[in-house]
Amino acid sequence: MNETLLSRTLRRLFAGGGVAGLALLALPMQALAQETAPRPAPAPAPEQAQPVQRVQVTGSLIRRSQAETSQEVLTVNRNDIEKSGKATVAELLQSLAVDNQGSVPSSFGNGFAPGASGISLRGMGVASTLVLVNGRRVAPYGLSDDGQKQFTDLNIIPADAVDRIEILLEGASSTYGSDAIAGVVNVILRNSFTGHTVRASDGIIDYWDGEQTTAAYTMGFGDLDENKWNGLLSLEYKKLDNIQCKDRTDRDWVCRIDLRRWNFSAQQALGGTGAITGPNAAGSAINGNVRNPATLDYFNRGNLSTATGFTRFFPGANCANFTNHPQDDPGGGCLIDAPLRYSQVLPVQESISLYGRGTWQFHPKHQAFTELLYYTNATDTSTTPSTVSASEGSPAGAVSNAGVALGANHPDNPYFGSPARLRYLAGDVGPRRTNIDSNFIRFMAGLKGTLYGWDYDSAIVYSHNNVWQHLNGYLQRDVAFALLNPTAANVAAAMGNPAYAALPPGTFWRIAENAGLNSPAVYQALSPTIHSRASTELALVDFKATRDFAGILPWGALGAAVGGEFRHEMSELNPVTGTERGNIIGLGFSGYKGSHNVSALYAEGLAPLPYKVELSAAMRWDRYTDVGSSWTPKAGIKWTPLRELAVRGTYARGFRAPGPAENGVGGLAAFATADDPVRCALGVEAACNPAPVALITRGNPNLAPEHSSSWDIGAIWDPLPRTSVSVDLWRIKRRDEINQVQVTDAIASGSVLRDPSTADPTVPGDPGAISVVEGTFINSSQSVVKGIDLDARYGFALPQGYGNVSIDGKLTHLYRWERTERDGTRRDFAGTHGNCDVTNCSGTPRNRANVHLNWERDKWRVTMTINYRSHFKNVLFQGDPAGCASTFADGVTGAPSDCEIASFTTFDLTARWKPAPKWEVFGSIQNLFDKLPPLDPLTYGAQSYNPLDFEGARGRMLTLGARYTF
């Protein structure tokens, strides 16, 4: 019996320690609640002065009376989350203007980290953005982005539990340590509840698919002042149904690899699956393309012409028996659109999240607290069937499958009597499917209070994430080779597989029209379920304290903070079964293991000076057991010449320690896109356009940490009531970057393995196609990212009581995103489709903006949100001498039009209505005008549309829901 997503989720809940976590949570708490206004504090005694409320802002350890500091902090509160209409916190954060290239969307189900979402501030990658929960770290997701970069899965955050999210948009390693080069996302969860809240919503797309169901329950009771304890519990269930590409056939190029209607061809690898592209070159056809052993020309098995040289013909292999897809391949291949037929726009996801917090005021000046955050998720992805000829990599090196052939006596071989190379899309095996189960837990217990004039906060944290992957539809190389071409060597290699050894001698894998003759045992041997498991762990203890020193300076009190931290971090990825020996066709090895201990001390000071100037400084020392020590300072200044105007600036240094995938034991084999300048120069037309190549990268224990320096200069101006404008000019420089060798550089230096048997016999000196690019992780380069942030807000009241209107907008503009290699080569990715060596190859648009138009009156709140991404050039970097990264069918004209990926703008409408004090009804329309995404032929994060434009591929979505409070 097949296990449902929900049953898998619940099984992980009880198997993964969730019940034990609940028991731990219950120690200091006896209850749990709806958000309510804070209870007024008891009136002070007559001789006491009323204390000024002080707050702590992300990026600083010092509590202060003003929320605005010398640092740029973007705050997203619960109201912002609700009016966005987004289904998850991850969706909201990835729609913000400050997110850019390198973020990990949930829709990228076939990437290295399926089932998770990550944010990339400033486009510097998920590994350079530190995500905190209530100011402390969590264990990263078990699977690393691009097999290299560890990150926090944003999906672990239950939306109903969020109080606000503070995003520090500058380096913060002096406060938080490694990973905070680009900034910090601090998710602050609720801690004040009384009563009960139930929320439910359901969303559906115009196509009646992709249903999004959410149900949440929050409860709480206990009063800290009266009962000396309080607590809350928030439970959320969420399910997102899958969206199949085959259900988007009317959305132009979305999900299509056959772009001939838009003037592309097979020479750009955009003419459909199964094309025969030239001499000794062919794609994988659903009915099989085979190579003439004498001429090395490929022909389709359904071809009945005597010019093929076939020794037997297969009328049943006629292309029309497999597809009604438009044909007319000049090379005679059988074309289908495999992504449109098999792949997904969005995988199915089902999750349960639980957040609980308990507080016990055991002394007037001291309290104990505990937190539990638990999340379990099941994701099912699907993509095209495996080919039989895709290469892969293993720790031992590259494995080329270009020589796969139908044996001389294979009954489906048109060249019966002679082995014939085969290019076959294994549709009879079915699509490749992956079931991902993620199980996350974080438990924290601590003390906070006042001691000897210091406000202290200390906690212990334990957090871990386990990720299981179960893969189906992938082919065992040794078995496939033996079943297609049972030579003595192939059979001997496959006999180590018990399922193959149990098959009757002489068993063949019958393909295409004869696949119905295969027994279930053949498929069990050929494509069994394979597995992998990843695990991360974080154990942390910290102590921090802050206080004011009054009377030292005449302009106000000095602020000081000190702290220390010790943590243990461990990550391990056990590779997918069989990839350690290169035995899974088309699936590369990815595995690593590493751990380290980190000790840290830090201090911060805040000093008021004359003329309303405020200076701040911070310093942190970190020691890693594997990469040594690091000192990271930070300084800031804030000047308030007028009540309505503040000028601010900061300078900071930062660092990022290598992750276990980068300096641990193991490595990864992946795919990238690149052209082949050697073969292109020889006149092999198909080699002049980007095509998938295998990339093997190994860990390097000698890596040094990345280091950074950053500055920010800005101003905040409040010229009128309910009006504010802020502008911040910023720059981040990151040195000693840990990267894979640039694919283009590795190809240019000759660090490749080629398959001479794929050479075009009509081209003298053709060395054959690249099968694998090889390299290691290296401290290879430095990057400079520079931009400007604009934030404006304006509100006013409509006449005659028609409500209040407010407008707010945020724009981030990139001046440059320049990477400099050690040899001095510079590449500026701003405004281009680069850097294609990072997640998705989604590009680096210069401008991203969010605008909100809000109207409120009595029981109504309505918001129109406008999300904008600017156009960018379809080149790999500014001034690329290779020109446009894609061309139309003529091989010359840059594609799409003007060699440019068009801009994309969506409008989202949300409304909330309170028909009664305890009821709220809400609804939203995402992508109100059903905007289609622009054509993008280069990205690999989605098929023919950019993953940044996911809403355009999904289509218009309507969501309705209600909240009841009691």
Side-chain angles (χ1 to χ4, degrees), residues 473-684:
Y474 289 83
L475 305 180
Q476 302 280 310
R477 182 185 188 273
D478 51 7
V479 175
F481 273 55
L483 291 174
L484 292 172
N485 186 17
T487 63
N490 286 345
V491 170
M495 287 303 291
N497 185 312
Y500 174 80
L503 293 174
T507 299
F508 288 100
W509 171 21
R510 304 300 300 273
I511 65 172
E513 74 281 7
N514 295 316
L517 301 176
N518 294 318
S519 68
V522 167
Y523 289 114
Q524 181 56 38
L526 179 65
S527 181
T529 300
I530 51 180
H531 312 271
S532 78
R533 179 180 179 271
S535 178
T536 63
E537 183 177 85
L538 168 74
L540 176 151
V541 58
D542 69 0
F543 180 87
K544 48 194 174 184
T546 178
R547 70 168 295 175
D548 291 341
F549 294 91
I552 298 178
L553 296 176
W555 308 285
L558 283 170
V562 294
E565 176 183 302
F566 176 83
R567 68 180 189 270
H568 171 75
E569 298 174 329
M570 183 280 296
S571 297
E572 182 177 9
L573 172 60
N574 295 317
V576 175
T577 313
T579 59
E580 74 283 353
R581 57 190 183 96
N583 196 49
I584 309 301
I585 293 178
L587 183 62
F589 169 86
S590 181
Y592 48 80
K593 182 177 182 179
S595 65
H596 55 222
N597 296 329
V598 185
S599 304
L601 296 172
Y602 42 89
E604 182 181 355
L606 177 69
L609 297 178
Y611 308 108
K612 298 183 179 179
V613 174
E614 179 183 278
L615 291 181
S616 61
M619 176 68 78
R620 181 178 175 115
W621 171 80
D622 289 87
R623 184 182 183 280
Y624 281 72
T625 53
D626 55 348
V627 293
S629 301
S630 175
W631 291 89
T632 48
K634 185 171 186 175
I637 183 170
K638 178 186 173 185
W639 176 42
T640 312
L642 302 172
R643 179 180 176 183
E644 301 84 6
L645 177 66
V647 180
R648 62 192 179 191
T650 58
Y651 174 81
R653 292 188 177 274
F655 77 102
R656 183 180 78 84
E662 296 164 329
N663 71 350
V665 177
L668 68 99
F671 288 91
T673 55
D675 56 19
D676 187 341
V678 173
R679 299 187 77 207
C680 181
L682 293 174
V684 182

Side-chain angles (χ1 to χ4, degrees), residues 33-36 190 192-197 218-220 965-966:
Q34 187 232 330
E35 180 188 23
T36 185
R190 292 176 168 185
S192 178
F193 270 30
T194 54
H196 307 260
T197 298
T218 304
M219 64 170 292
T965 301
F966 60 98

